[in-house]
């Protein structure tokens, strides 16, 4: 995969995602965050839309956003049958002004960010942005590799212990679970 935005555009345009969503991952997520019909979900960095489609199938009103136009187009094409419950749009979540102009404060019950955090430059600002988007009692589901669990050549896709501390600080309640031993960690942070 190429570096930068062009590499992601190319990847998603070719129909390749970073890592597919499987039934076990969705089962664990549903156990951690019981989804109810009508819940408002924001899927940040939606990629090819695996999470967004599953949330919508479970009755949630889902907005899938990604900074790659090819990802947004793929979600729209792949899941046209899930309209109007699933909407997709291009959005650069690292741009505070763009986020504020497009997304309603307190407008979501759940915000998910799967395999995205490592690519956003200001982790503290991201956490604050997510907190502002969540309704009271809302949940942020953050799925990420940890730097200590990936090989040296893949350090750029993980987050450090310090970065984890920055994004998990100040939440009302939080828990975590691993998708597999030595693999991805999922943080469930409640407002």
């Amino acid at each position: 995969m190429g570096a930068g935005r062009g590499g992601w555009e190319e990847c998603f345009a070719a129909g390749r995602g970073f890592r597919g969503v499987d039934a076990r991952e969705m089962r664990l997520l549903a156990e951690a965050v019981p989804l109810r019909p009508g819940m408002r979900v924001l899927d940040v960095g939606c990629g090819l839309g695996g999470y967004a489609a599953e949330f919508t199938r479970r009755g949630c009103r889902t907005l899938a956003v990604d900074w790659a136009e090819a990802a947004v187009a793929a979600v729209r094409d792949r899941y046209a049958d899930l309209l109007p419950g699933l909407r997709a749009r291009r959005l650069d979540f690292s741009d505070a002004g763009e986020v504020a102009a497009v997304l309603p404060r307190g407008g979501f019950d759940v915000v998910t960010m799967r395999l995205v955090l490592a690519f956003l430059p200001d982790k503290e600002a991201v956490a604050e942005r997510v907190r502002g988007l969540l309704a009271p009692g809302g949940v942020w589901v953050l799925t990420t590799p940890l730097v200590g669990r990936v090989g040296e050549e893949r350090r750029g896709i993980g987050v450090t212990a310090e970065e984890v501390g920055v994004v998990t600080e100040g939440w009302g309640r939080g828990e975590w679970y691993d998708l597999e031993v030595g693999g991805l960690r999922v943080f469930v942070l409640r407002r």
Side-chain angles (χ1 to χ4, degrees):
M1 186 177 330
R5 188 178 304 247
W8 287 110
E9 290 288 355
E10 185 179 299
C11 176
F12 293 131
R16 293 188 319 269
F18 194 56
R19 176 192 165 113
V21 177
D22 63 24
R24 180 176 177 275
E25 182 175 354
M26 285 310 300
R27 181 180 52 74
L28 290 170
L29 177 59
E31 289 171 7
V33 182
L35 299 171
R36 297 178 316 279
M39 287 181 92
R40 301 159 301 164
V41 177
L42 173 65
D43 184 17
V44 177
C46 65
L48 296 177
Y51 262 21
E54 282 301 314
F55 295 136
T56 306
R57 287 183 184 115
R58 293 170 190 242
C60 297
R61 292 177 294 151
T62 309
L63 174 58
V65 299
D66 202 292
W67 68 313
E69 187 61 52
V72 173
V75 171
R76 288 178 182 146
D77 290 347
R78 288 175 177 220
Y79 303 111
D81 61 317
L82 295 177
L83 294 171
L86 172 60
R87 295 175 299 126
R89 70 169 294 146
R90 200 206 77 68
L91 177 76
D92 183 350
F93 201 78
S94 65
D95 183 332
E98 185 177 349
V99 170
V102 172
L103 301 177
R105 285 193 60 76
F108 298 95
D109 302 302
V110 178
V111 173
T112 62
M113 196 173 284
R114 182 178 185 269
L115 308 176
V116 175
L117 186 64
F119 303 102
L120 297 172
D122 187 341
K123 314 297 190 259
E124 185 173 5
V126 166
E128 285 306 310
R129 204 164 294 136
V130 169
R131 199 180 333 270
L133 292 170
L134 286 169
V139 181
W140 182 19
V141 179
L142 175 62
T143 304
T144 187
L146 303 174
V147 166
R149 294 176 162 209
V150 294
E152 187 66 38
E153 72 284 353
R154 299 188 60 165
R155 297 282 165 134
I157 67 166
V159 295
T160 66
E162 181 181 314
E163 291 168 329
V164 167
V166 165
V167 298
T168 59
E169 186 177 322
W171 291 85
R173 203 172 93 224
E175 62 227 27
W176 60 267
Y177 59 90
D178 288 329
L179 287 179
E180 66 269 336
V181 176
L184 298 177
R185 177 150 297 164
V186 180
F187 295 92
V188 181
L189 305 169
R190 300 176 194 283
R191 191 160 181 255

